[in-house]
Amino acid sequence: MASPGSSGRCSRTPGFPAGPLGGGGRAVPALGLGTASLRSVGEESFRGALLAALEVGYRHIDTASVYGSERVVGEAVAGAARRGVIACREEVFVTTKVWCTQCHPDLVLPSLRESLQNLQMEYVDMYLVHWPMSVKPTKPHYPMKREDIMPMDLRGVWQAMEECHQLGLAKMIGVSNFTTKKLQELLAFAKIPPAVNQVELNPVWQQKKLMEFCKAKGIHVTAYFPLGGRHSTSTVNPVLDSDVLKEIAAAKGKSVAQISLRWIYEQGASMVTTSTKRERLKENIDIFDWQLSDEDRLKISQIPQHKTVSVLSILCPDGVSSVELSEVDVVESTTNFRPDSTNSIIVRLQNNPAIRCILFHRAGGRAMAVVVPEAVLRHGDARPMPAVGMGVAEYPSTPERTRDAVLAALEAGFRHFDTASLYRTEAPLGEAIAEATRRGLLASREEAFVTTKLWCTQCHPDLVLPSLRESLRNLQMEYVDLYLIHLPISVKPGPMVFPVKKEDVVPFDFGGVWRAMEECHRLGLAKAIGVSNFTTKHIDKLLAVATILPAVNQVEMNPTWQQRTVREYCDAKGIRVTAYSPLGGQNWGGSANYVMESSVLTEIARARGKSIAQVSLRWIYEQGVTPIAKSYRKERLKENLEIFDWELTDEDRLKISQIPQRKRVTAASLFSPDGEFTSVDLPDIEIVEE
């Protein structure tokens, strides 16, 4: 850990020296207040939060031209000096940044002068290049149009940054969101090396490669999103909801936030965090008089890694860039470009779980990106789950047809596949993934998220593990990402059959079956475990005996069966909901498909220029649920992925919320019409939420 020094006579935070030549300034305080989102609370509340931070001991304020917060930051610092909270402006370390629209050699200095005018200051302590990207000159704004991205003159921009330092307007200069590749490019010609690289860093995105590089080059790292930040595709905060961090926090009598901040400090990085509440500000600063243990650090080092920010998060979803997005992304990775048989380019960002694969379809000579977001599962250690999956439960089907359909789905951009022992599609699914890896469609099996399920005849404590081992043999895999109990129903052991005989149903041993599921997870055969078709009553029984909580509950869900009670319950318990039959389900008895024939969805689809299927899938995605859609047709597979770059309107959502509700799958539909239940009552195994 770096040796911190003093960062100000009234500060409660130590500081880190920054940069061998990029200095001339003071040490960087170890903890700062970020202002990227504070303006959303209103100017008075924002100003109050800044003053409160200075009063409790913060001496580092981080702003940027694009945040629109510089003026209020300057007013707050001046006000604190008048009130005697600080002796003078020099006590506060102020960082601001040049935005992409000003990342041009002739605009860097004017942009800094404008920032200083906003701040009412003669200099800033740190001036950063906000992003390794240039956009057509205009006022700073966000998000930006892809077609406005221009090749960046990094040498010319950095020479202008060096002039800012030489003029005394920036005590230190540095960068933000730079990968090692971009830093190497910069260091090749820089006369004044960057003092700082500000990047996303926390226990779930540890940036080990970048940290080692910056340390070797004498570049100090500052962490943004130290507490997890905001994620547009998930309600889960992977830092604050981390079971590992919660366990450490409980043992040490600290908050999860304090554990995360302390860990960052012990890596030798400073950090900027955002809070408007005085008690949170005080809590965040109380991290310097205690330490994590070696055991704590080991546990944190093993946390699965999830990144929040990518270049796509600052760009409009529409339009096409003339600059390769991989050249301006912030993901520390090797990017592979490989043409395939569909005349597409697969761009693989191997260390970015938030965007595991981007498929660029060629359209009129231009590349159109299909980006599939991913959701972090709160329990278990599976990789993030892609936000839409392909189901392979088709009856009747053949292995060849399933294998070809999965390969087509992989080419289209699917990375999430849902099967089950009952479906008898595990073998062709595994064959397709292996073939895709040989062809280069996948870098490895790890790029695919695979779910399979335990059937009712194996829902007995001594049969769970053998059933999973058989599924793995079928899949030709060492593990599955997710293993689910298919139904809250146990049937006498025997061949897997459907429908089930009523007289074969036996009482479900929740404790024994779930302990066997937990054993599957502990052995590494299932990265996460969960359930399917469980009502809140069933989950209550499970939670009463569970040591490892279910990561997922897969249930029937679509606009005509919205499952509000189950969804609210699962959200409160940290259980991700996945939706089967998102398009109404397979038609067994010739009855209507209430989703595809819905007049409400038809009207919305026509108005939005989308298909009914896309409207249904988009609605499910907007509920924070992962749809599992089944289609074996290439055009439908592609269509089902094109739901992430547009939104339903509030009026659309209101209309959908008023659709009459009809459920297709019930417990009774699973059984043969003849026979009688002898060991259980139907209400005990009903899968319809009361």
Side-chain angles (χ1 to χ4, degrees):
M1 184 171 67
S3 299
S6 173
S7 63
R9 70 176 183 88
C10 298
S11 175
R12 293 178 55 200
T13 66
F16 293 97
L21 295 173
R26 50 183 280 200
V28 179
L31 180 65
L33 183 69
T35 64
S37 60
L38 285 182
R39 60 180 176 162
S40 64
V41 303
E43 192 167 301
E44 287 305 312
S45 296
F46 178 20
R47 186 180 290 104
L50 289 166
L51 286 170
L54 292 167
E55 287 171 351
V56 301
Y58 285 73
R59 291 298 181 269
H60 181 186
I61 307 295
D62 181 272
T63 183
S65 58
V66 77
Y67 299 164
S69 59
E70 290 173 328
R71 180 180 58 80
V72 181
V73 167
E75 291 172 357
V77 171
R82 286 193 299 270
R83 292 169 54 178
V85 175
I86 57 175
C88 58
R89 177 262 179 268
E90 284 69 24
E91 277 194 23
V92 182
F93 189 104
V94 177
T95 297
T96 195
K97 311 177 192 78
V98 58
W99 186 239
C100 307
T101 50
Q102 273 65 48
C103 263
H104 303 273
D106 59 331
L107 296 181
V108 172
L109 180 56
S111 181
L112 176 55
R113 291 192 188 280
E114 184 175 354
S115 290
L116 291 173
Q117 189 173 10
N118 292 335
L119 289 160
Q120 304 166 57
M121 295 178 181
E122 296 180 356
Y123 69 90
V124 290
D125 298 271
M126 183 73 70
Y127 194 39
L128 305 179
V129 177
H130 207 150
W131 204 284
M133 180 167 67
S134 292
V135 171
K136 290 179 181 178
T138 184
K139 285 288 186 182
H141 64 279
Y142 163 89
M144 295 172 291
K145 295 180 179 179
R146 299 178 187 218
E147 55 267 32
D148 288 345
I149 301 175
M150 304 172 62
M152 184 178 186
D153 179 2
L154 185 57
R155 182 189 294 268
V157 167
W158 192 251
Q159 287 172 344
M161 293 287 289
E162 290 173 333
E163 183 181 4
C164 293
H165 173 66
Q166 290 157 351
L167 291 171
L169 303 180
K171 297 295 185 183
M172 289 184 277
I173 54 176
V175 296
S176 179
N177 295 302
F178 270 49
T179 61
T180 57
K181 177 184 174 183
K182 280 296 177 185
L183 288 171
Q184 286 172 329
E185 184 181 340
L186 175 59
L187 291 172
F189 53 74
K191 294 179 181 177
I192 302 175
V196 161
N197 186 16
Q198 185 178 120
V199 296
E200 181 181 3
L201 173 71
N202 53 55
V204 304
W205 191 247
Q206 297 181 13
Q207 297 270 39
K208 292 174 183 174
K209 177 183 175 184
L210 184 63
M211 290 286 287
E212 290 172 3
F213 179 90
C214 288
K215 182 178 179 181
K217 300 297 182 182
I219 301 170
H220 177 69
V221 172
T222 298
Y224 68 78
F225 284 0
L227 304 181
R230 296 160 294 158
H231 201 301
S232 62
T233 66
S234 175
T235 58
V236 175
N237 182 314
V239 172
L240 298 182
D241 294 321
S242 165
D243 291 335
V244 173
L245 299 182
K246 286 179 180 178
E247 177 187 344
I248 295 171
K252 301 192 81 68
K254 304 294 181 181
S255 69
V256 174
Q258 287 175 315
I259 299 298
S260 181
L261 296 176
R262 178 70 201 186
W263 177 85
I264 294 169
Y265 174 65
E266 291 188 5
Q267 308 312 300
S270 58
M271 65 215 87
V272 291
T273 185
T274 300
S275 182
T276 59
K277 296 180 179 179
R278 180 180 289 268
E279 59 271 21
R280 290 283 174 81
L281 290 166
K282 291 176 65 177
E283 177 186 285
N284 290 347
I285 213 170
D286 289 335
I287 63 168
F288 301 112
D289 58 355
W290 54 277
Q291 292 185 352
L292 296 169
S293 68
D294 290 340
E295 183 180 2
D296 296 333
R297 298 184 192 103
L298 177 61
K299 289 178 179 177
I300 293 173
S301 72
Q302 297 170 339
I303 291 175
Q305 297 295 283
H306 314 298
K307 182 166 176 58
T308 298
V309 178
S310 81
V311 65
L312 296 169
S313 63
I314 65 167
L315 299 176
C316 296
D318 302 322
V320 178
S321 170
S322 61
V323 175
E324 294 287 3
L325 297 184
S326 60
E327 290 299 311
V328 293
D329 206 356
V330 298
V331 182
E332 189 63 48
S333 64
T334 301
T335 307
N336 298 325
F337 295 85
R338 187 187 193 101
D340 69 14
S341 60
T342 62
N343 195 28
S344 300
I345 294 176
I346 296 175
V347 180
R348 193 166 290 112
L349 305 179
Q350 293 174 339
N351 293 330
N352 184 2
I355 304 173
R356 187 65 60 121
C357 180
I358 307 174
L359 192 73
F360 285 83
H361 292 293
R362 290 293 184 188
R366 300 186 304 169
M368 304 298 288
V370 177
V371 182
V372 180
E374 297 185 340
V376 176
L377 301 181
R378 293 177 64 175
H379 309 299
D381 56 7
R383 53 155 287 199
M385 173 189 284
V388 64
M390 177 193 183
V392 289
E394 184 174 67
Y395 303 102
S397 186
T398 64
E400 294 77 15
R401 176 172 158 79
T402 298
R403 184 170 55 249
D404 291 346
V406 172
L407 281 168
L410 286 161
E411 289 176 348
F414 278 87
R415 295 297 181 267
H416 180 181
F417 299 93
D418 183 275
T419 183
S421 56
L422 177 71
Y423 303 162
R424 292 179 169 82
T425 54
E426 290 171 329
L429 171 60
E431 290 169 7
I433 290 173
E435 175 64 21
T437 304
R438 286 191 293 271
R439 291 189 194 178
L441 290 173
L442 296 176
S444 66
R445 176 264 178 267
E446 285 70 27
E447 278 196 21
F449 188 105
V450 176
T451 299
T452 194
K453 310 181 193 76
L454 174 76
W455 185 240
C456 306
T457 49
Q458 274 66 48
C459 265
H460 304 274
D462 59 330
L463 297 181
V464 174
L465 181 56
S467 181
L468 176 55
R469 290 192 188 280
E470 183 176 356
S471 289
L472 292 173
R473 282 193 294 272
N474 293 334
L475 288 160
Q476 306 169 56
M477 294 178 182
E478 295 181 356
Y479 69 90
V480 290
D481 298 272
L482 181 62
Y483 193 38
L484 304 180
I485 298 173
H486 209 147
L487 287 155
I489 299 170
S490 288
V491 174
K492 291 177 183 178
M496 289 181 289
V497 295
F498 181 84
V500 176
K501 293 181 179 180
K502 295 176 184 176
E503 58 268 28
D504 287 346
V505 180
V506 297
F508 193 98
D509 180 358
F510 280 91
V513 170
W514 191 251
R515 282 192 293 271
M517 293 287 288
E518 292 176 332
E519 179 69 7
C520 294
H521 174 65
R522 280 190 285 266
L523 290 172
L525 304 179
K527 298 296 185 181
I529 53 178
V531 297
S532 180
N533 294 298
F534 271 46
T535 64
T536 58
K537 181 176 69 174
H538 296 132
I539 298 175
D540 278 335
K541 289 182 180 179
L542 185 64
L543 295 181
V545 298
T547 302
I548 301 171
L549 301 186
V552 163
N553 185 18
Q554 184 178 123
V555 297
E556 180 183 7
M557 181 190 157
N558 52 58
T560 68
W561 189 246
Q562 298 183 11
Q563 295 273 37
R564 293 188 184 97
T565 300
V566 171
R567 286 192 285 119
E568 290 172 4
Y569 175 95
C570 288
D571 187 57
K573 302 294 184 182
I575 301 170
R576 178 78 178 181
V577 173
T578 60
Y580 70 78
S581 297
L583 307 181
Q586 199 160 332
N587 191 334
W588 296 105
S591 59
N593 183 317
Y594 298 118
V595 173
M596 302 304 289
E597 297 174 23
S598 165
S599 59
V600 173
L601 299 180
T602 300
E603 177 188 345
I604 294 171
R606 187 179 297 115
R608 308 286 290 151
K610 305 294 180 182
S611 70
I612 296 172
Q614 287 175 315
V615 171
S616 181
L617 294 173
R618 178 69 202 188
W619 176 83
I620 293 169
Y621 171 67
E622 290 188 7
Q623 309 313 301
V625 173
T626 301
I628 307 297
K630 194 278 299 177
S631 180
Y632 280 19
R633 294 168 58 182
K634 288 185 178 181
E635 62 273 18
R636 291 283 174 80
L637 289 166
K638 183 175 180 292
E639 178 184 284
N640 289 348
L641 282 178
E642 294 172 348
I643 63 169
F644 301 112
D645 58 353
W646 56 279
E647 293 184 354
L648 296 168
T649 66
D650 289 339
E651 183 180 2
D652 295 336
R653 298 183 191 103
L654 177 61
K655 289 178 179 177
I656 292 173
S657 72
Q658 297 169 340
I659 291 176
Q661 298 294 285
R662 302 179 179 92
K663 181 164 176 62
R664 186 180 65 91
V665 180
T666 66
S669 68
L670 306 172
F671 300 105
S672 301
D674 303 323
E676 299 290 338
F677 294 108
T678 58
S679 301
V680 301
D681 294 324
L682 184 59
D684 292 332
I685 56 175
E686 182 54 76
I687 61 175
V688 180
E689 186 67 36
E690 295 178 358

